[in-house]
Amino acid sequence: MREKRKNNSVKVLLRLLPGTVRPVPLLFLVFIVITVCHGISWGVETVMQQRFFDQAAAMAGGSASFGAALTALGFLGAANVGCQVLNGAGNFLPEVVGGKVLGHQSKEIHEKIARLSPAVFEDTGKLDDINKAEAGKENAFWFVCDFIALLTFYIPYFLFMGWYLFSLKPVLAVVIVIIFLPTALAQLIRMKAFSDLEDESAPVRREYEHYEACMVSREFFRETRLLGGFSYFKRLYLETMDLMQRLKYRASMKSNLFELSMRILTVAGYVGILLLLFDALMKREVSVGAFAAVFNSLGMLYSLMEEIICRHISDMAQNMGSIQNYLNFLDLEERKSERSEEPGWGDIVLTDVSFSYPGAESDAIREVSFTLKKGETLAVVGENGSGKSTLVRLLAGLYEPKRGSVMINGNDTRKLSLGALTARTSAVFQKFQRYQMTLGENITISDRFRSCEERELDRICDMAGTDRKDFEKGYDTMLSREFDGVDLSGGQWQRTAIARGFFRDHDLIILDEPTAAIDPYEETRIYNRFAGIAKDKSAVVVTHRLGSVKLADRILVMKEGRAVQLGTHEELIGQEGEYKRLYEAQEQWYQEG
Amino acid sequence: MKRALIETGKTYGFLDFVRIPMRVCPFYTVIKMINQAAAAITPSLQVLVTASFVDTALLIFAGSAEREAIWLPLLGLVLLIAYNNLNWQLMSFINLRSEMKLTRVYRSQIVEKRARLEYRCIEDNETWDLINRTCTDPVGKIRGGFDNLMGAAGIILRVGSLLSILMAQVFWAGIAIVAMSVPLFILAIRSGKEIYEENKEAMKFTRRADYLRSVLQGRESVEERALFGYTKEVNRLWHEKYEAARKINTSVTLKYFIRMKSSSLITVILSLLIICVLLFPLKSGAVSVGMFMALVTSTLNLIQMMSWELSNTMSEIARNTEYLKDLTAFAGLPETEGALDLPKESMTFDSVEFRHVSFRYPGTERYILKDFCLRMEKGRHYAFVGVNGAGKTTITKLLTGLYREYEGEILLNEKPLSSYTQAELKAYFSVVCQDFARYQISLEDNIALGNVLEYDEEKIREAAGRIGLSDVIEKLPEGMRTPLGKVKEKGVDLSGGEWQRVAVARALYRPTAVRILDEPTAALDPVAESDIYRLFGRISAGGTTIFITHRLGGARLADRIIVIAKGQVAESGSHEELLAANGIYAEMFEAQRSWYQ
């Protein structure tokens, strides 16, 4: 078991080492040299102490000169100064190296994410790896540092001390073993005890935290107050608190008692060493100075041993999970990009396209076939969950079909790189982003912050219904309270998102329910303007307000992942079917009388 | 009843880190303090015992003492070793106990205070940040403050006791040390403060970098990120901010290390001087060899302590000072009287009237309602329509007593709204809001929360049935008792639409006179939305209802439609009347209707 874990750690280390060292190889070398010196300096300090004590004792006994004692003191002082300087440098350097390396790695993570298929974000397992990669990367760095410190600081120190003790009296070298055993044993069992505690109390803690949230979090505050539900949740809160505390108490008592017994073992070892030393002293095998110096260094030996085992090794073991997340992330398959030149614009042909989300049992899109003609405006309608949003993601090239094919101007989307696929496409998604950036950046981000004249922005904003005069500093207004700017209403955000979609140079534009937060009057105006600009371009409009579909050339009706109807409004309204049913259900609200 | 630990208007100071645990668990706290003191003087005891041990050993070597004389100092050493190694482990039992007690008492009091706060504290971002800062891990923060204080006292005691031993040997050496240590302390205190300030500066960049990182990594932005392909550009911005923060942080850390290590270097030199000075009495025999060695050891040990422990303690003090400021501000936040009371038994409702009401959110300039007048009466159905931000939701916040600082008058049954208690208001109005609560408790309890005074399983089942939840309940493994959501292991999560129905069922089960639906249906398609409105209208027939919506379909069901614009009632009347009036409503309706022709 131990052997196996060790192998794993070494493997992980070898995997991580190149990426960690590459950004700053020289600094790492300096770091290693310093830590080796640092480790040995503590050993040297003990030796210098012994020399000084011996000289001082000899001086007191009259067998050595004051000058000799003073010289020994000088060496002791020099050793101490050396220790302190190396200690400072040895602790400071990893911080510097860390800052640089972690920044470098974050950059690489961001780039890697951009190369992943967006569908990966729908896969809960892989999403977990992505979300935890950042934390994992940090832990990975400290893992490497800890490992290096183990090899370059702790082991040299213990080797030096072992050698020193051996040279005083061979049997004293056993001291290192006496110190090591109980500490290691205690740590092993402690880790087990705590993971059990975590397993047992985690569900209770989740409940406990939820009940607290029910009373005081923003999400629940208003409703709980108006319902008068405080007492109800307080009761549940106190109940789970009691339960949690009981669990924690039981587990902590167990581990505390255990640790106490381990400590007693440590004390026994300590006393054993003391007696060993004492015996050597009485037999005059070691000098009083050596006795005092070794006795003094015992505290250091113990605390460094605990540092290795309780802090570093246990950190390494605890962080292994999140480091694994990071490694998994690095292994995530990137979207293959055989061709990166743009395919040129034309028809988009879907043939028997099926798509399922990772981990989902059934297909979200089932055998859909149709052609989006160049320059055509297509409306996609259907009930919630009928697959409209998934379909447009396939059209935009964000997802690759599981079965069937999507061809753009005769090019298979699976053979094109993401960049080439999306080069001529713009969109306003249902879940549009509210970038905490300036108004201008919020719009131009869709075309990589392409610089443009204000007139162009004005024109686009006008089309989206955004009025620049609403913003104090015009396009430089920061849209975020957190970063010293202003807050926008839901409707204003939506208009900004529409402007963003319009700004990007495109041949195809997709509007996925872009007007949910906008009032009907405004909505009509936006659609009318949109109809104007979409004339010579392909457009796809997803909506569940059927009224707005009339500006489309054709209408595609989705139901349970299938394309059930396709045609003009007049054609579809004349048939018995899904479209007619939906249309009539809504129309009734707007009939006279 | 004991005095509350969180007192409004109290200025919290360092002593409260002791006072609070003292009041919650005096016994454990006193034990902890005594132990801390004992731990602080053990190094001095160790000096005495080691000295006596070495001296006795030397005497035995010299033949002037019996071998047996060594046993007593040896035993002393063993006892000290045992105490040093076992003491913290033994204390962990006490710590566990006191932490549990503190959680039960202090943490629940914090939660209660939080729940009593005026609603505006929750909606105001700055105050909300303060609340979050103060209330995360409150017990840990109190304990941290306590330990910090004890640590500081411990350092003083430790240094003081060592000094007095030294002074007993060589009087003036002690005085010299004190004189030289003072600047050292000042240096350490100052550096703690400065570092805190500079960290704040770096935080600005870090926050920005963290935000940009979320754009580059987050799931929410994946669609736009992939389509617009802006990773390279945003990554560059991110790196700029990251580097700016990193450079400040590195220079702060460097300064920190330099300060810390210069204080330990000063201590090294100081110790060397002391040792040097001690060599004279050693030579003359005024100080024994054992005492000399013990003193040298303890002075050298001070070095490491002076660097790490002292600077850690100081930066902790700076952090805790900030926490005390937060705690003082938090304790001073205004509370709503009767906020946690249960609703009163059912009240009779006749009318509610807004008379020239003007309102703006605290701390903002813009009036949401301006000279707003409206009268609503029993048994009728109202619909509020209007563009976003017109003030529709604000009206419900005023009615339910969440905000009370309005100008003008609101009369409930012809009496000022402000003369009603929170408990009474809770009995008058129920609201299903846009962001309704998804309580992760059983479906049954979710609905039962609608009426906390009386539990009636039959009525709960009925409310669930009427809103079309019967099928859902049938499919759940434990029926109505199935816990909802993912908090409990056996919990089942519902779809958005199903949750919405649960929230509406809760409102139906509530015995209030007036029911308000504040766009709880935004996530539904228009057909499903209208269904809910229709159902709700039918079920609450005889009661008074208010629908708030910006989709006009549902509004038509109301007896009276109120069009709100610019904080005022712009139009009101029935659907037909408003169409005939040819105003805003007619225009909005026409805009939507035109699509269907």
Side-chain angles (χ1 to χ4, degrees):
Chain A
M1 172 76 195
R2 266 195 81 73
E3 197 52 39
K4 193 174 154 220
R5 195 168 69 213
K6 207 177 134 210
N7 274 336
N8 274 342
S9 318
V10 171
K11 244 188 234 161
V12 169
L13 178 76
L14 291 179
R15 175 87 204 274
L16 291 171
L17 204 55
T20 312
V21 176
R22 203 184 330 111
V24 279
L26 217 64
L27 268 180
F28 256 101
L29 197 65
V30 176
F31 173 58
I32 288 172
V33 172
I34 286 182
T35 43
V36 172
C37 297
H38 182 205
I40 292 174
S41 73
W42 288 106
V44 171
E45 204 261 0
T46 302
V47 178
M48 290 303 152
Q49 236 184 64
Q50 181 221 329
R51 296 253 165 93
F52 172 64
F53 283 155
D54 284 343
Q55 288 296 329
M59 183 195 77
S63 57
S65 70
F66 189 82
L70 211 57
T71 316
L73 178 61
F75 278 110
L76 176 61
N80 260 301
V81 170
C83 277
Q84 290 304 319
V85 171
L86 288 167
N87 179 273
N91 282 293
F92 175 64
L93 260 183
E95 307 269 339
V96 180
V97 176
K100 286 197 175 165
V101 170
L102 292 176
H104 192 84
Q105 289 178 336
S106 282
K107 224 174 150 181
E108 283 177 354
I109 289 182
H110 301 155
E111 284 162 8
K112 162 116 192 169
I113 284 178
R115 290 193 300 267
L116 295 174
S117 161
V120 171
F121 282 79
E122 305 298 326
D123 187 332
T124 0
K126 289 179 180 162
L127 185 65
D128 204 41
D129 288 334
I130 297 175
N131 288 340
K132 289 181 181 158
E134 197 63 39
K137 166 206 79 178
E138 198 147 343
N139 287 332
F141 173 77
W142 292 112
F143 176 86
V144 172
C145 277
D146 281 351
F147 223 105
I148 292 180
L150 189 69
L151 295 179
T152 59
F153 175 73
Y154 295 100
I155 291 182
Y157 172 72
F158 281 105
L159 282 179
F160 186 92
M161 286 307 284
W163 165 78
Y164 171 65
L165 290 171
F166 187 83
S167 72
L168 283 178
K169 189 188 174 195
V171 71
L172 281 180
V174 92
V175 164
I176 306 272
V177 181
I178 296 179
I179 290 172
F180 172 72
L181 280 180
T183 323
L185 197 61
Q187 182 56 26
L188 213 69
I189 299 178
R190 182 195 298 136
M191 264 153 46
K192 174 93 183 75
F194 271 98
S195 69
D196 287 353
L197 167 70
E198 196 45 40
D199 290 349
E200 210 178 351
S201 67
V204 188
R205 169 159 338 109
R206 270 207 311 271
E207 250 182 272
Y208 165 74
E209 281 167 359
H210 177 70
Y211 296 141
E212 184 171 303
C214 283
M215 291 184 279
V216 296
S217 79
R218 235 177 189 175
E219 196 185 345
F220 295 107
F221 196 93
R222 181 169 159 200
E223 195 151 345
T224 302
R225 171 170 289 185
L226 294 181
L227 289 170
F230 179 81
S231 325
Y232 171 81
F233 287 111
K234 174 110 192 244
R235 187 172 52 77
L236 291 176
Y237 178 63
L238 292 179
E239 273 171 22
T240 44
M241 184 195 283
D242 270 349
L243 182 60
M244 199 175 74
Q245 292 201 333
R246 267 208 305 280
L247 286 174
K248 188 173 172 188
Y249 186 72
R250 223 177 45 210
S252 302
M253 276 310 260
K254 220 164 70 186
S255 76
N256 278 348
L257 277 175
F258 168 76
E259 242 168 272
L260 185 64
S261 47
M262 284 300 141
R263 279 278 165 184
I264 292 173
L265 207 64
T266 306
V267 170
Y270 213 127
V271 171
I273 296 170
L274 179 66
L275 293 178
L276 209 63
L277 275 173
F278 173 66
D279 181 57
L281 177 70
M282 285 298 142
K283 288 184 185 149
R284 302 221 165 194
E285 286 164 345
V286 300
S287 65
V288 180
F291 172 84
V294 173
F295 182 69
N296 288 341
S297 70
L298 284 179
M300 184 82 177
L301 279 165
Y302 265 106
S303 69
L304 284 184
M305 191 61 89
E306 273 179 20
E307 218 171 270
I308 304 181
I309 294 174
C310 301
R311 223 176 75 204
H312 296 317
I313 294 189
S314 101
D315 275 2
M316 283 175 168
Q318 261 174 22
N319 293 336
M320 209 35 117
S322 96
I323 293 172
Q324 197 56 51
N325 281 126
Y326 176 54
L327 292 176
N328 290 347
F329 169 77
L330 292 179
D331 289 340
L332 280 183
E333 204 182 322
E334 296 176 12
R335 200 167 154 144
K336 295 174 292 286
S337 50
E338 290 172 31
R339 280 183 49 198
S340 55
E341 70 265 31
E342 293 175 20
W345 201 248
D347 294 353
I348 302 182
V349 182
L350 277 74
T351 319
D352 290 329
V353 171
S354 293
F355 179 83
S356 65
Y357 284 99
E361 280 168 24
S362 57
D363 287 350
I365 293 290
R366 301 170 194 192
E367 293 157 14
V368 171
S369 304
F370 72 92
T371 301
L372 177 70
K373 292 185 204 125
K374 187 176 175 182
E376 177 185 36
T377 300
L378 179 79
V380 182
V381 301
E383 288 180 318
N384 281 354
S386 58
K388 298 182 303 248
S389 291
T390 312
L391 181 70
V392 297
R393 288 185 195 137
L394 280 160
L395 279 172
L398 296 181
Y399 292 172
E400 292 168 86
K402 285 272 141 66
R403 289 183 301 279
S405 68
V406 179
M407 312 284 268
I408 297 181
N409 200 21
N411 295 280
D412 192 333
T413 53
R414 266 175 297 209
K415 298 231 168 85
L416 292 170
S417 72
L418 191 60
L421 260 178
T422 54
R424 303 301 306 160
T425 307
S426 187
V428 184
F429 291 105
Q430 198 176 1
K431 280 187 240 151
F432 55 84
Q433 290 301 292
R434 298 157 183 230
Y435 295 107
Q436 302 189 22
M437 301 177 184
T438 64
L439 176 63
E441 287 168 331
N442 254 290
I443 296 170
T444 56
I445 192 170
S446 65
D447 222 353
R448 301 180 165 198
F449 303 107
R450 163 166 70 84
S451 57
C452 66
E453 285 184 32
E454 262 198 25
R455 254 187 314 171
E456 187 185 348
L457 282 177
D458 285 343
R459 191 177 56 83
I460 298 246
C461 283
D462 185 48
M463 226 146 49
T466 301
D467 191 352
R468 179 157 63 114
K469 287 186 216 82
D470 289 349
F471 298 92
E472 213 172 293
K473 291 181 199 152
Y475 294 116
D476 292 329
T477 312
M478 184 68 177
L479 307 189
S480 154
R481 189 65 82 71
E482 199 190 332
F483 296 108
D484 304 320
V486 296
D487 269 342
L488 296 191
S489 70
Q492 282 175 312
W493 271 119
Q494 187 140 48
R495 284 189 280 268
T496 309
I498 294 173
R500 182 185 309 146
F502 288 168
F503 180 77
R504 181 175 169 89
D505 208 10
H506 60 267
D507 290 316
L508 165 67
I509 186 161
I510 291 167
L511 304 180
D512 188 358
E513 291 185 35
T515 53
I518 293 177
D519 61 77
Y521 186 58
E522 182 73 31
E523 180 185 10
T524 315
R525 279 194 2 207
I526 291 179
Y527 274 126
N528 281 333
R529 290 208 193 94
F530 172 69
I533 64 155
K535 255 188 197 123
D536 46 349
K537 292 178 175 169
S538 308
V540 176
V541 182
V542 177
T543 178
H544 51 222
R545 293 189 213 177
L546 294 186
S548 52
V549 302
K550 284 196 203 144
L551 59 86
D553 300 318
R554 287 194 300 169
I555 298 160
L556 179 73
V557 185
M558 296 291 294
K559 189 179 171 71
E560 288 164 7
R562 295 180 192 280
V564 290
Q565 287 178 295
L566 178 66
T568 64
H569 172 71
E570 285 69 27
E571 285 165 21
L572 294 183
I573 203 75
Q575 302 168 4
E576 285 304 315
E578 178 75 0
Y579 184 74
K580 194 171 179 210
R581 189 180 74 79
L582 290 171
Y583 191 85
E584 283 175 354
Q586 290 183 26
E587 190 194 19
Q588 57 172 326
W589 297 107
Y590 298 99
Q591 276 162 358
E592 304 283 353
Chain B
M1 176 77 193
K2 273 204 253 176
R3 223 155 33 109
L5 297 169
I6 306 296
E7 296 170 56
T8 315
K10 179 179 157 80
T11 307
Y12 284 82
F14 264 91
L15 276 184
D16 287 293
F17 283 132
V18 181
R19 211 174 284 145
I20 290 172
M22 240 351 206
R23 278 181 38 205
V24 175
C25 43
F27 178 67
Y28 298 137
T29 311
V30 169
I31 291 195
K32 273 161 89 170
M33 286 161 78
I34 293 174
N35 178 60
Q36 194 80 37
I41 57 168
T42 37
S44 310
L45 281 179
Q46 195 158 343
V47 169
L48 299 177
V49 174
T50 318
S52 136
F53 178 84
V54 172
D55 285 340
T56 315
L58 287 174
L59 283 178
I60 294 171
F61 290 161
S64 49
E66 292 299 313
R67 264 187 95 93
E68 283 70 35
I70 201 75
W71 295 122
L72 190 64
L74 188 64
L75 181 69
L77 272 186
V78 169
L79 285 178
L80 279 173
I81 290 168
Y83 177 76
N84 279 340
N85 281 283
L86 297 180
N87 145 42
W88 295 116
Q89 210 50 54
L90 288 170
M91 285 311 288
S92 68
F93 292 96
I94 304 267
N95 284 334
L96 184 63
R97 281 276 182 184
S98 69
E99 193 179 317
M100 282 167 65
K101 194 86 193 284
L102 267 173
T103 305
R104 245 191 318 254
V105 180
Y106 182 65
R107 184 162 177 166
S108 2
Q109 284 200 22
I110 290 260
V111 166
E112 211 155 307
K113 160 89 194 176
R114 235 177 129 174
R116 278 197 307 262
L117 291 177
E118 278 193 14
Y119 187 62
R120 64 181 161 102
C121 303
I122 310 300
E123 287 205 325
D124 180 69
N125 281 335
E126 221 164 283
T127 318
W128 180 248
D129 284 348
L130 166 77
I131 295 171
N132 267 341
R133 274 203 309 274
T134 323
C135 299
T136 23
D137 190 19
V139 172
K141 284 183 177 131
I142 291 293
R143 250 191 64 175
F146 179 82
D147 290 346
N148 184 207
L149 216 54
M150 291 298 125
I155 290 182
I156 294 171
L157 200 59
R158 213 151 101 196
V159 176
S161 61
L162 278 178
L163 272 180
S164 42
I165 293 180
L166 192 60
M167 280 163 82
Q169 305 298 323
V170 198
F171 181 71
W172 52 269
I175 296 187
I177 292 172
V178 174
M180 289 178 75
S181 319
V182 171
L184 211 67
F185 267 100
I186 293 174
L187 190 76
I189 291 170
R190 256 195 33 217
S191 71
K193 255 190 195 154
E194 259 175 51
I195 282 168
Y196 188 83
E197 286 301 313
E198 288 189 58
N199 275 338
K200 255 182 166 170
E201 180 65 25
M203 268 309 286
K204 272 202 250 166
F205 291 107
T206 307
R207 260 175 39 214
R208 188 73 195 150
D210 283 349
Y211 169 69
L212 292 171
R213 167 183 292 170
S214 75
V215 171
L216 288 165
Q217 295 191 344
R219 182 191 177 191
E220 299 72 39
S221 47
V222 62
E223 293 171 334
E224 294 195 7
R225 188 170 59 227
L227 187 73
F228 297 152
Y230 52 60
T231 292
K232 204 173 127 214
E233 288 74 18
V234 176
N235 211 359
R236 208 182 47 231
L237 285 176
W238 170 81
H239 199 245
E240 259 169 41
K241 304 292 174 203
Y242 176 85
E243 279 295 301
R246 188 185 69 81
K247 281 183 185 139
I248 298 179
N249 281 333
T250 308
S251 98
V252 169
T253 320
L254 182 62
K255 273 188 211 157
Y256 176 79
F257 272 94
I258 288 178
R259 290 245 171 79
M260 179 175 77
K261 283 304 162 189
S262 38
S263 78
S264 52
L265 286 180
I266 296 173
T267 322
V268 172
I269 294 165
L270 212 63
S271 326
L272 290 180
L273 285 176
I274 298 168
I275 297 169
C276 223
V277 165
L278 281 173
L279 279 173
F280 292 100
L282 175 69
K283 195 172 165 65
S284 69
V287 167
S288 69
V289 174
M291 180 53 87
F292 176 79
M293 285 182 183
L295 280 175
V296 169
T297 307
S298 61
T299 355
L300 291 178
N301 284 344
L302 270 185
I303 299 172
Q304 198 58 351
M305 187 187 95
M306 275 302 185
S307 61
W308 289 102
E309 254 178 77
L310 186 63
S311 36
N312 280 347
T313 305
M314 286 305 156
S315 51
E316 279 289 306
I317 282 182
R319 211 184 10 243
N320 283 318
T321 314
E322 287 306 305
Y323 176 66
L324 287 169
K325 277 188 208 155
D326 280 350
L327 188 61
T328 304
F330 172 71
L333 292 177
E335 298 175 16
T336 302
E337 205 183 315
L340 306 184
D341 291 352
L342 297 179
K344 268 266 168 68
E345 294 288 339
S346 55
M347 315 285 282
T348 53
F349 171 78
D350 292 315
S351 70
V352 65
E353 185 172 2
F354 286 76
R355 280 194 190 158
H356 305 288
V357 173
S358 294
F359 176 77
R360 54 183 175 183
Y361 284 98
T364 61
E365 289 300 309
R366 194 167 72 91
Y367 275 98
I368 302 292
L369 297 179
K370 187 78 194 163
D371 204 25
F372 182 82
C373 298
L374 176 68
R375 187 179 167 84
M376 288 184 282
E377 276 160 6
K378 182 186 176 172
R380 306 193 62 177
H381 302 308
Y382 296 89
F384 290 179
V385 301
V387 299
N388 291 309
K392 293 170 299 193
T393 299
T394 307
I395 298 171
T396 71
K397 289 184 187 162
L398 293 183
L399 276 179
T400 47
L402 291 174
Y403 284 94
R404 294 176 302 178
E405 303 82 3
Y406 48 82
E407 300 155 34
E409 265 187 314
I410 302 177
L411 300 178
L412 177 58
N413 294 346
E414 315 299 336
K415 274 192 334 196
L417 195 71
S418 50
S419 68
Y420 290 85
T421 63
Q422 288 281 320
E424 286 166 336
L425 287 180
K426 283 175 196 174
Y428 276 111
F429 302 102
S430 65
V431 185
V432 187
C433 35
Q434 278 163 315
D435 41 359
F436 55 86
R438 299 166 185 220
Y439 295 116
Q440 319 266 294
I441 49 182
S442 74
L443 192 142
E444 183 177 23
D445 288 348
N446 252 298
I447 300 174
L449 267 176
N451 186 355
V452 288
L453 296 178
E454 182 191 356
Y455 176 83
D456 185 336
E457 200 185 322
E458 215 27 64
K459 279 192 191 162
I460 292 174
R461 205 168 276 281
E462 195 189 314
R466 283 162 79 182
I467 205 70
L469 277 169
S470 303
D471 296 350
V472 179
I473 293 174
E474 217 137 276
K475 268 186 263 164
L476 291 173
E478 290 171 62
M480 291 221 296
R481 300 229 156 73
T482 313
L484 302 183
K486 288 179 177 158
V487 165
K488 287 211 181 181
E489 261 167 301
K490 285 184 192 156
V492 178
D493 210 359
L494 300 183
S495 73
E498 289 165 343
W499 270 112
Q500 246 152 4
R501 283 166 199 270
V502 172
V504 175
R506 178 157 61 227
L508 287 176
Y509 179 63
R510 278 201 86 175
T512 56
V514 183
R515 297 205 175 92
I516 305 172
L517 279 193
D518 185 358
E519 294 196 74
T521 52
L524 294 184
D525 55 67
V527 178
E529 179 188 24
S530 311
D531 282 349
I532 289 227
Y533 278 122
R534 207 196 313 255
L535 214 55
F536 194 79
R538 206 165 54 222
I539 293 163
S540 351
T544 314
T545 58
I546 302 174
F547 295 160
I548 298 178
T549 176
H550 68 237
R551 294 182 187 167
L552 300 185
R556 246 179 120 168
L557 296 168
D559 303 329
R560 207 174 160 78
I561 297 167
I562 320 280
V563 181
I564 296 167
K566 294 181 181 144
Q568 289 184 323
V569 175
E571 290 169 25
S572 79
S574 69
H575 175 69
E576 289 73 23
E577 285 166 17
L578 289 182
L579 278 191
N582 220 358
I584 304 176
Y585 181 81
E587 194 181 359
M588 279 165 78
F589 190 80
E590 206 47 48
Q592 289 192 358
R593 196 173 60 134
S594 66
W595 295 108
Y596 294 95
Q597 283 173 349

